[in-house]
Amino acid sequence: MGGFGSGKQGGKRCTNDNLALDVRSINRAGRLTPGSWFTWQWTRNGEITSSIQLQVEADSVVLDYRSRSNHHGSGEWEPMRYTVALDRTPCGFGGKRVWWRCPAVGCGRRVAVLYGGRVFACRQCNHLAYASQREADDDRATRRADTIRRRLGWEPGILNGNGLKPKGMHWRTFERLEASHDFHVNAALAGMAVKLGLLGERLDMIDFPH
Ligand SMILES: [Zn+2]
């Protein structure tokens, strides 16, 4: 799943969704040397799909990459750079186990794996971020559909079905508006289906082994 770059600035230094950043793998590879930096890459079928740059400090790692500004991957590229604290706990025979501290505001959970990716955070925070983003998307789709319904003089509420072409409106205009309306309704209904558990939680499908 993950892999290392050459240490030079390779890859695209950008992220997609559903990335796992496991501090144990990084540590095992001997990369947690303060003052060093390297590129961590994710590949699929031999192709680099995402990569980020990590700068290692004594008790933290700086993550540096670019991300699309919305989770559909259609927004503007946005530079991301923030610090993730490391924590070390004793583990038998004088060894130390290394952990991330989740960088999400108000969290700080000690975890082995952070999930990206617009931001990398613990599983719980990632769930929250994803749910609120989805909520916002659903609401926006519903609002857009309702705006069109008002313009067409249809009964408010996307569950009320489509109405008729208003008198005096060109058929072409009507067809365009109705197509746009249906698109937003479908997006909103798909979101509702997910909320109702009909389609399954996307994040549940990427349950990485612990
Ligand atoms: Zn968290």
Side-chain angles (χ1 to χ4, degrees):
M1 161 95 218
F4 283 108
S6 63
K8 294 190 180 134
Q9 184 179 310
K12 296 187 295 177
R13 279 182 61 197
C14 58
T15 60
N16 297 307
D17 284 341
N18 305 341
L19 303 176
L21 190 60
D22 191 329
V23 74
R24 296 164 300 189
S25 314
I26 294 170
N27 192 36
R28 267 199 301 275
R31 291 289 188 149
L32 287 183
T33 311
S36 69
W37 63 274
F38 60 93
T39 301
W40 181 268
Q41 297 175 337
W42 288 265
T43 58
R44 186 182 301 139
N45 303 324
E47 294 272 311
I48 297 169
T49 54
S50 301
S51 74
I52 65 174
Q53 186 178 307
L54 296 91
Q55 279 173 239
V56 184
E57 291 164 7
D59 292 311
S60 63
V61 175
V62 178
L63 307 187
D64 193 337
Y65 55 94
R66 294 183 309 148
S67 178
R68 293 284 200 189
S69 58
N70 72 38
H71 73 139
H72 298 303
S74 55
E76 295 288 303
W77 286 106
E78 186 183 7
M80 307 291 288
R81 185 182 167 86
Y82 51 91
T83 300
V84 181
L86 293 175
D87 201 5
R88 291 180 172 85
T89 56
C91 78
F93 307 109
K96 294 263 192 201
R97 180 168 296 165
V98 66
W99 306 88
W100 299 119
R101 286 283 191 181
C102 172
V105 175
C107 181
R109 275 190 191 85
R110 189 188 278 161
V111 292
V113 183
L114 295 176
Y115 297 93
R118 185 168 169 271
V119 294
F120 287 85
C122 76
R123 184 181 174 77
Q124 283 84 348
C125 290
N126 211 305
H127 260 299
L128 289 178
Y130 180 61
S132 70
Q133 178 64 59
R134 196 172 61 199
E135 198 85 26
D137 284 354
D138 298 347
D139 289 350
R140 190 165 52 238
T142 303
R143 277 200 308 276
R144 284 181 180 168
D146 271 331
T147 301
I148 295 171
R149 295 184 74 86
R150 266 200 304 280
R151 186 160 166 201
L152 293 171
W154 293 357
E155 190 180 348
I158 60 170
L159 296 178
N160 285 321
N162 292 11
L164 302 171
K165 181 181 86 63
K167 284 201 169 64
M169 180 178 277
H170 289 295
W171 272 105
R172 217 158 31 165
T173 306
F174 175 68
E175 280 162 7
R176 182 174 52 76
L177 287 172
E178 186 173 40
S180 177
H181 167 269
D182 291 350
F183 173 82
H184 293 307
V185 168
N186 285 334
L189 291 179
M192 285 181 195
V194 171
K195 276 179 205 155
L196 295 172
L198 301 178
L199 299 179
E201 285 279 338
R202 187 171 60 153
L203 284 168
D204 285 345
M205 297 189 295
I206 56 154
D207 198 358
F208 295 95
H210 297 291

